[in-house]
């Protein structure tokens, strides 16, 4: 996988030819600024894609970064980037301030992926650098010889049009259809595809940026955004709080702003601005509720950015500015738990951060727990119960299908691309674990613990093992009679669930169960099911729990009565389309094609492609949709689904 060839650059003039930014497959480009020594020694590098589970895991080590923060740590990044929509590249400079942790260190090692490095300077003087050959998902180590005075290092670079962390959209792929759009998605290991940096959640940096765009467009970042900024094509940002690299984010498009509350607002393309602001109008109340329970919000403003439908996630918790899929604008606030989730990350994740991707459950499990609590606070216990049951059912499905290793909260990801391991485990199993602690020690006590946890570890990155140490010093002492370290370790380090887990229940779902059972038994006609007043969650529960095999007659009866094929709710449509693929219900297939070609959110499309791939006729349909949709899909959605249509 590594091609340890050495390519020589004889002079600075040739430097730009050294890095092959288009493919990211540059071999080794080495430069010596003054003399031209030929170095033909291959650089021995570890094989990061090889599984090394026979070696004991170093829990503090980030196996997904090639950088060297244990020797030299980057503390601040100043970007000056020009966004070129024609070439689909960003080019400019990243200036890095750093501190030596090891006083004898002479080299700064950065992560990079598919970047062209033109030159590296400090105080105007060229610095020697080497760009190692790349690993498929970790990218290439960029090794820079430190200047004698430890002064700021400036890297002149450009991104590749194929950068895994950037999506370039043409005007037709946007709501307005007139202007192009760009957004970045850095989590987990993609910041390195648009900035050369130490791409590890253990390294926190403050940052500032100047972003140059076409004049008609607006740039926004996970930083201070001035809603009243003049649209002049030059935008300046400052992020004064130290953040991990996966939270650096940028979007550029025909965006407008609308306030929702004192500290909250939404950025979106003009045609969806009002509907987004109406859908998410409870954001300010959510912010206030979370602060009351878990301590002050540390990030100044909390705004939302609504992306085009190709955004590969539901949401991304970029600080001060969560990135949100438009697929949750349902018209009835039924899917706004996503906002509670991204907001909650302001405490769990953005303030207290997982130190490595093995510890992702510290981000997502805590956040999922908080999400349920925020939803209960704002919308009541019925909604909380329904969402908890649906979440538990998602978890059950993963527990039934995933390998034992992938059911573990503190998951061993050595040699694996974190993108390939995305599941409900860190989310729902993590939240269930925390809910058990809450139930054992009492809600108020657990809230007090959480509030203190967020305060004590604010702006730090912590490992699972540090969290266990913290439990040992706090709850396990205070509630020694109620909690048990062996069971806690079972939750964290073992597959499946411990015995006697308290399973969420919802009264609102009992009547749905009754209706479904009677209808399936032929005791109740579809038009006699009392669905008026059913919430989206009840519909989801109704559909998700239908038998795998349904007769054509049953499918037709449901569809004629409830017009499910044309459901405007993207989650309901997803459930129905999945049933339709499983049972090859032909009337829904044109809608399936439309769905797959208009939405790029992986959680919604991947199960459909997976199901389609199981039969020949399904595969043909999947292939057709994928080929049509591919130019508009995000690189992550392409990567996650291309295997299903081969
Ligand atoms: N931070 C995650 C998205 C993520 C996780 C990206 C891991 C890359 C690697 C975000 O907060 C998230 O969890 N999104 C979910 C939201 C849902 C659980 C409400 C999503 O996109 O589906
Ligand atoms: Zn999350």
């Amino acid at each position: 996988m590594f091609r340890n060839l050495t390519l020589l650059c004889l002079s600075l003039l040739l430097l730009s030819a050294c890095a092959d930014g288009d493919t990211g497959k540059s071999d080794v480009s080495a430069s010596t600024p003054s003399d031209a020594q030929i170095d033909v020694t291959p650089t021995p590098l570890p094989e990061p894609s090889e599984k090394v589970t026979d070696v004991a895991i170093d829990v503090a080590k980030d196996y997904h970064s090639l950088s060297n923060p244990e020797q030299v740590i980057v503390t601040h990044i100043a970007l000056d980037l020009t966004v070129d929509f024609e070439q689909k590249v960003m080019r400019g400079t990243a200036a890095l301030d750093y501190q030596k942790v090891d006083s004898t260190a002479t080299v700064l090692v950065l992560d990079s992926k598919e970047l062209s490095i033109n030159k590296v300077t400090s105080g105007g003087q060229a610095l020697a650098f080497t760009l190692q050959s790349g690993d498929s998902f970790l990218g290439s180590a960029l090794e820079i010889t430190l200047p004698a005075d430890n002064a700021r290092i400036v890297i002149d670079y450009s991104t590749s049009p194929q950068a895994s962390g950037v999506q370039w959209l043409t005007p037709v792929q946007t709501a307005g259809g007139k202007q192009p759009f760009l957004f970045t998605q850095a989590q987990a290991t993609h910041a390195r595809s648009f900035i050369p940096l130490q791409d590890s959640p253990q390294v926190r940096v403050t940052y500032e940026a100047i972003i140059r765009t076409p004049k008609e467009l607006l740039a926004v970042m996970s930083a201070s955004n001035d809603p009243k900024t003049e649209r002049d094509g030059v935008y300046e940002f400052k992020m004064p709080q130290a953040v991990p690299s996966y939270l650096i984010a940028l979007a550029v498009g025909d965006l407008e702003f609308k306030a929702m509350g004192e500290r909250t607002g939404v950025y979106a393309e003009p045609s969806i601005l009002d509907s987004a602001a109406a859908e998410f109008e409870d954001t300010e109340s959510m912010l206030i509720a979370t602060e009351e329970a878990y301590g002050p919000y540390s990030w100044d403003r909390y705004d939302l950015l609504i992306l085009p439908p190709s955004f590969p996630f539901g949401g991304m918790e970029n600080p001060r500015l969560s990135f949100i899929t438009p697929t949750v604008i349902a018209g009835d606030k039924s899917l706004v738990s996503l906002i509670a989730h991204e907001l909650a990350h302001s405490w769990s994740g953005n303030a207290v951060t997982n130190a490595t991707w093995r510890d992702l459950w510290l981000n997502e499990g805590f956040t999922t727990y908080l999400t349920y609590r925020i939803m209960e606070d704002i919308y009541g216990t019925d909604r909380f119960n329904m969402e908890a049951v649906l979440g538990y059912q998602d978890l059950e499905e993963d527990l039934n299908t995933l390998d034992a290793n992938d059911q573990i909260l503190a998951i061993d990801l050595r040699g694996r691309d974190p993108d390939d391991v995305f599941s409900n485990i860190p989310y729902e199993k993590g939240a269930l674990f925390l809910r058990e602690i809450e139930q054992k020690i009492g809600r108020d006590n657990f809230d007090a613990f959480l509030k203190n946890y967020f305060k004590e570890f604010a702006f730090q990155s912590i490992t699972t093992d540090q969290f266990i140490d913290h439990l040992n010093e706090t709850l396990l002492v205070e509630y020694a009679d109620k909690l048990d370290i062996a069971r806690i370790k079972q939750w964290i380090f073992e597959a499946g669930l411990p015995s006697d887990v308290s399973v969420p229940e919802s009264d609102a779902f009992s009547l749905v169960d009754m209706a479904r059972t009677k209808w399936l038994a032929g005791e109740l006609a579809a038009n006699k099911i009392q669905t008026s007043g059913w919430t989206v969650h009840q519909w989801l529960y109704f559909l998700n729990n239908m038998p795998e095999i349904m007769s054509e007659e049953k499918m037709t009866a449901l569809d004629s009565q409830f017009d499910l094929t044309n459901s405007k709710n993207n989650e309901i449509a997803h459930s129905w389309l999945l049933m339709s693929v499983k049972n090859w219900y032909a009337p829904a297939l044109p809608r399936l094609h439309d769905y797959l070609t208009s939405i790029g959110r992986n959680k919604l499309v991947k199960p459909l492609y997976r199901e389609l791939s199981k039969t020949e006729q399904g595969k043909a349909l999947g292939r057709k949709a994928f080929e049509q949709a591919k130019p508009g899909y995000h690189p992550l959605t392409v990567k996650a689904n291309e295997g299903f249509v081969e």
Side-chain angles (χ1 to χ4, degrees):
M1 162 191 342
F2 280 99
R3 292 178 292 150
N4 288 324
L5 304 174
T6 303
L7 186 79
L8 180 73
C9 292
L10 287 173
S11 74
L12 276 171
L13 280 176
L14 287 177
L15 282 181
S16 58
C18 291
D20 176 0
D22 272 338
T23 61
K25 294 284 182 218
S26 53
D27 295 313
V28 176
S29 69
S31 87
T32 47
S34 48
D35 52 3
Q37 282 174 358
I38 296 182
D39 172 11
V40 286
T41 331
T43 322
L45 285 172
E47 292 278 12
S49 295
E50 223 68 72
K51 248 197 144 199
V52 280
T53 37
D54 47 333
V55 180
I57 194 162
D58 175 353
V59 296
K61 182 175 159 67
D62 181 357
Y63 289 92
H64 294 93
S65 170
L66 304 170
S67 66
N68 68 339
E70 67 291 345
Q71 293 175 309
V72 185
I73 191 157
V74 174
T75 54
H76 181 78
I77 300 177
L79 298 170
D80 185 333
L81 294 175
T82 299
V83 177
D84 180 343
F85 279 100
E86 252 155 52
Q87 304 290 321
K88 299 193 172 164
V89 299
M90 289 190 265
R91 60 176 79 83
T93 53
L96 273 47
D97 297 329
Y98 53 91
Q99 278 168 7
K100 278 189 184 177
V101 181
D102 170 355
S103 60
T104 64
T106 56
V107 177
L108 169 67
V109 187
L110 303 176
D111 291 293
S112 81
K113 194 178 173 194
E114 304 162 325
L115 297 179
S116 291
I117 309 296
N118 301 322
K119 63 179 181 210
V120 183
T121 58
S122 183
Q125 299 295 306
L127 293 177
F129 70 92
T130 309
L131 188 61
Q132 299 291 352
S133 59
D135 173 88
S136 60
F137 64 92
L138 294 183
S140 320
L142 171 61
E143 300 177 355
I144 300 169
T145 304
L146 294 172
D149 57 359
N150 295 329
R152 176 175 271 212
I153 290 176
V154 181
I155 303 165
D156 187 317
Y157 74 101
S158 56
T159 61
S160 145
Q162 286 79 37
S164 59
V166 185
Q167 189 175 16
W168 299 87
L169 294 169
T170 59
V172 292
Q173 292 160 337
T174 67
K178 295 216 168 64
Q179 298 292 350
F181 202 103
L182 160 143
F183 66 88
T184 64
Q185 165 59 41
Q187 196 180 11
T189 55
H190 303 285
R192 65 193 71 174
S193 76
F194 55 95
I195 307 171
L197 43 49
Q198 293 182 318
D199 198 6
S200 167
Q202 301 185 352
V203 180
R204 305 184 81 95
V205 292
T206 50
Y207 79 86
E208 63 194 289
I210 301 174
I211 304 293
R212 301 168 199 276
T213 73
K215 276 200 176 49
E216 323 71 75
L217 303 182
L218 179 66
V220 289
M221 288 194 86
S222 55
S224 56
N225 289 284
D226 173 7
K228 297 194 194 82
T229 190
E230 196 192 332
R231 257 195 211 211
D232 57 3
V234 182
Y235 303 99
E236 293 189 23
F237 303 92
K238 281 205 165 30
M239 175 37 105
Q241 286 128 325
V243 293
S245 53
Y246 76 89
L247 294 176
I248 301 178
L250 165 71
V252 178
D254 181 16
L255 294 169
E256 280 181 6
F257 175 82
K258 184 166 182 175
M260 295 189 291
E262 225 173 277
R263 282 180 290 171
T264 54
V266 60
Y267 290 89
E269 288 190 67
S271 65
I272 51 170
L273 190 63
D274 287 340
S275 56
E279 192 81 17
F280 306 133
E281 67 180 0
D282 298 330
T283 308
E284 186 90 16
S285 322
M286 290 180 179
L287 173 61
I288 294 165
T290 320
E291 279 190 311
E292 263 168 30
Y294 304 112
Y297 177 74
S298 329
W299 305 89
D300 192 23
R301 292 194 57 82
Y302 181 72
D303 293 319
L304 307 175
L305 168 67
I306 314 303
L307 291 152
S310 68
F311 185 55
F313 291 99
M316 178 64 213
E317 66 270 28
N318 297 316
R320 299 180 183 220
L321 184 67
S322 288
F323 284 22
I324 302 294
T325 174
T327 62
V328 291
I329 304 177
D332 57 4
K333 302 185 186 176
S334 56
L335 307 177
V336 298
S337 65
L338 176 77
I339 307 300
H341 180 99
E342 304 313 334
L343 169 71
H345 271 306
S346 307
W347 285 260
S348 45
N350 299 4
V352 184
T353 305
N354 52 209
T356 77
W357 299 117
R358 170 181 185 254
D359 311 305
L360 178 70
W361 77 275
L362 291 178
N363 279 15
E364 299 301 345
F366 278 70
T367 295
T368 303
Y369 173 82
L370 294 191
T371 307
Y372 286 123
R373 294 291 308 280
I374 298 168
M375 292 305 287
E376 179 170 24
D377 203 336
I378 308 286
Y379 302 103
T381 303
D382 282 351
R383 174 121 175 209
F384 164 79
N385 287 337
M386 288 190 283
E387 296 197 342
V389 172
L390 291 172
Y392 183 78
Q393 293 200 326
D394 288 343
L395 173 62
E396 274 185 315
E397 189 165 333
D398 277 359
L399 292 172
N400 288 332
T401 48
L402 292 175
D403 288 348
N405 175 65
D406 291 0
Q407 300 182 14
I408 294 171
L409 286 180
I411 183 171
D412 183 358
L413 287 175
R414 284 176 293 173
R416 297 175 74 187
D417 182 345
D419 291 343
D420 298 341
V421 196
F422 195 77
S423 83
N424 287 299
I425 301 294
Y427 292 79
E428 298 294 342
K429 183 175 170 184
L432 209 58
F433 165 46
L434 298 180
R435 207 176 296 136
E436 177 171 296
I437 301 183
E438 178 211 308
Q439 282 163 356
K440 286 190 169 166
I441 71 172
R443 182 168 272 198
D444 290 349
N445 296 331
F446 190 54
D447 279 350
F449 165 80
L450 285 176
K451 192 170 183 175
N452 179 64
Y453 167 75
F454 294 135
K455 193 166 159 206
E456 185 161 339
F457 293 100
F459 297 100
Q460 291 179 44
S461 302
I462 71 165
T463 62
T464 298
D465 306 79
Q466 280 172 284
F467 172 67
I468 295 174
D469 289 347
H470 181 63
L471 278 185
N472 268 320
E473 287 158 14
T474 54
L475 296 186
L476 283 157
V477 180
E478 273 172 84
Y479 304 99
D481 53 332
K482 300 197 168 80
L483 298 174
D484 166 18
I485 184 70
R487 187 168 168 98
I488 287 174
K489 288 194 170 165
Q490 188 184 352
W491 271 106
I492 297 176
F493 297 114
E494 289 180 32
L497 298 178
S499 55
D500 306 320
V501 164
S502 144
V503 175
E505 285 172 10
S506 151
D507 292 341
F509 284 171
S510 310
L511 57 109
V512 177
D513 277 328
M514 250 148 40
R516 189 192 318 96
T517 308
K518 282 195 174 166
W519 175 72
L520 283 168
E523 292 161 16
L524 184 70
N527 63 2
K528 292 281 176 318
I529 306 176
Q530 289 299 317
T531 58
S532 63
W534 273 15
T535 63
V536 166
H537 300 91
Q538 285 171 303
W539 276 109
L540 287 172
Y541 183 73
F542 181 66
L543 296 175
N544 290 351
N545 292 284
M546 286 288 175
E548 286 281 296
I549 298 172
M550 298 275 289
S551 67
E552 169 110 32
E553 183 206 336
K554 286 271 182 229
M555 292 295 288
T556 309
L558 282 183
D559 205 15
S560 346
Q561 185 60 34
F562 305 118
D563 199 17
L564 293 163
T565 294
N566 297 312
S567 172
K568 297 241 169 351
N569 185 290
N570 287 310
E571 293 276 357
I572 293 178
H574 171 84
S575 289
W576 174 248
L577 292 173
L578 197 57
M579 284 172 69
S580 300
V581 178
K582 286 180 183 164
N583 295 287
W584 207 251
Y585 173 62
L589 300 179
R591 172 80 209 277
L592 173 65
H593 181 87
D594 282 355
Y595 192 90
L596 292 172
T597 51
S598 60
I599 294 178
R601 181 180 172 191
N602 212 15
K603 183 190 147 199
L604 295 178
V605 298
K606 190 174 169 183
L608 295 168
Y609 279 119
R610 188 193 294 120
E611 201 55 45
L612 283 167
S613 74
K614 293 179 183 168
T615 64
E616 276 314 309
Q617 53 184 1
K619 211 176 235 185
L621 197 154
R623 202 174 288 135
K624 187 165 163 236
F626 189 80
E627 283 314 314
Q628 190 179 323
K630 193 175 165 189
Y633 278 160
H634 186 278
L636 285 176
T637 304
V638 172
K639 188 171 73 161
N641 294 289
E642 60 194 356
F644 295 128
V645 295
E646 271 161 7

